[in-house]
Amino acid sequence: MNTPLTPHLAPSAPRKKHRNLAQSVVANIAESIRGGSIKPGDKLPTESELMRTQGVSRTVIREAISHLQASGLVETRHGIGTFVLAASSPSNFDIDPETVITMRDILAILELRISLEAEAAGLAAARRTDAQLEQMRTALDAFQKSAHERGDSVAADVQFHLHIAQATGNRYFVDILSHLGTTIIPRTRINSARLAHDDPAAYLDRVHREHEDIYNAILRQDPETARAAMRTHLSNSRERLRKVQDSMVIAS
């Protein structure tokens, strides 16, 4: 019988920024999972226990768990708890998500995603099930709700892209996106809206509309339109970051 594990999660060092706190908790738990001190099938400690051992608030713990879910490391079963998932395959990637820091790194990841996810969207349109389509819809609704409430929309954003990957029926698409985790969302690494002097709410609204275009093409089972919609979505993000990069160069 699986029991909650508490002694293997070392408390994180105090940090000033909320996002850094959540990332620190994610790193601690992920390290315990990858190191084997917490094994697939094990139940994570309760929120209260994690708050005590990690020295952070409940909000930070919930954000960290959302990121772990989006990365495919854990799943939360309603009314039962959060459990560690088995790795779908050994990860031999040389890409370390924690090293994706600079604008050049983020743009490089976007270039990779354009080629990878455009094809994934096309395959998803051809192969998706009704259940998978419903999962995409749920993620989109969660994204819109978080954006309107000025909450953390990253987890729902990642989930939408992961559900598309899962609908391809090809586990390697899922493996790559799961490995990259929240790194696939540029705003987790850089506040491009602020740097571009853009309204964050308007930016998230544009992202939502682009997501809807992708979803509608998959709903209609139209592979070519799905590919084009995903390519447009990711290319828009890339061009936005390029403009920010150019303005930073000019300013310097």
Side-chain angles (χ1 to χ4, degrees):
M1 181 176 68
N2 295 323
T3 56
L5 301 181
T6 58
H8 303 295
L9 299 178
S12 59
R15 284 173 172 77
K16 295 181 180 180
K17 294 185 178 179
H18 181 277
R19 179 174 294 172
N20 286 345
L21 285 170
Q23 289 177 343
S24 179
V25 174
V26 169
N28 286 341
I29 297 176
E31 178 68 22
S32 296
I33 293 172
R34 293 181 179 123
S37 58
I38 304 180
K39 297 178 175 55
D42 284 341
K43 183 179 178 181
L44 289 186
T46 64
E47 285 185 353
S48 297
E49 184 63 18
L50 287 172
M51 288 165 59
R52 184 183 67 80
T53 60
Q54 300 293 305
V56 296
S57 69
R58 190 177 302 275
T59 299
V60 171
I61 292 299
R62 288 181 175 176
E63 181 178 339
I65 294 299
S66 291
H67 290 325
L68 289 167
Q69 290 171 334
S71 299
L73 290 175
V74 304
E75 70 172 1
T76 298
R77 302 170 192 169
H78 183 66
I80 302 176
T82 300
F83 294 82
V84 178
L85 294 173
S88 56
S89 66
S91 178
N92 295 316
F93 284 112
D94 290 328
I95 302 173
D96 181 356
E98 295 305 315
T99 67
V100 180
I101 299 172
T102 69
M103 185 73 77
R104 185 189 296 270
D105 295 334
I106 297 168
L107 285 167
I109 290 293
L110 275 170
E111 288 181 354
L112 172 66
R113 291 182 61 203
I114 288 170
S115 59
L116 180 76
E117 293 195 64
E119 182 60 22
L123 292 174
R127 300 173 180 175
R128 60 86 177 164
T129 65
D130 289 343
Q132 289 167 337
L133 190 69
E134 185 176 347
Q135 289 177 323
M136 294 176 211
R137 182 71 262 166
T138 299
L140 277 183
D141 291 344
F143 177 92
Q144 186 176 37
K145 183 174 185 293
S146 295
H148 284 171
E149 295 176 355
R150 297 180 180 271
D152 178 22
S153 59
V154 170
D157 199 339
V158 174
Q159 283 297 320
F160 176 65
H161 286 271
L162 278 176
H163 288 320
I164 291 173
Q166 289 162 354
T168 66
N170 183 330
R171 68 183 178 88
Y172 294 108
F173 283 104
V174 182
D175 286 350
I176 293 173
L177 291 187
S178 296
H179 174 77
L180 292 174
T182 58
T183 303
I184 68 172
I185 310 299
R187 63 183 180 279
T188 65
R189 290 297 190 265
I190 186 170
N191 191 336
S192 56
R194 179 179 61 80
L195 291 172
H197 306 291
D198 199 0
D199 176 17
Y203 165 66
L204 290 177
D205 186 58
R206 286 198 299 273
V207 171
H208 179 69
R209 291 199 304 270
E210 291 169 3
H211 282 168
E212 289 285 354
D213 288 342
I214 298 166
Y215 171 83
N216 287 329
I218 294 174
L219 169 67
R220 297 192 305 270
Q221 296 185 300
D222 183 344
E224 288 309 313
T225 301
R227 288 186 182 95
M230 180 66 81
R231 181 173 292 276
T232 295
H233 169 52
L234 297 177
S235 295
N236 284 346
S237 184
R238 179 185 59 182
E239 293 311 306
R240 175 191 180 86
L241 287 175
R242 280 181 174 167
K243 289 178 181 177
V244 171
Q245 183 182 44
D246 290 343
S247 66
M248 292 170 67
V249 171
I250 293 173
S252 63

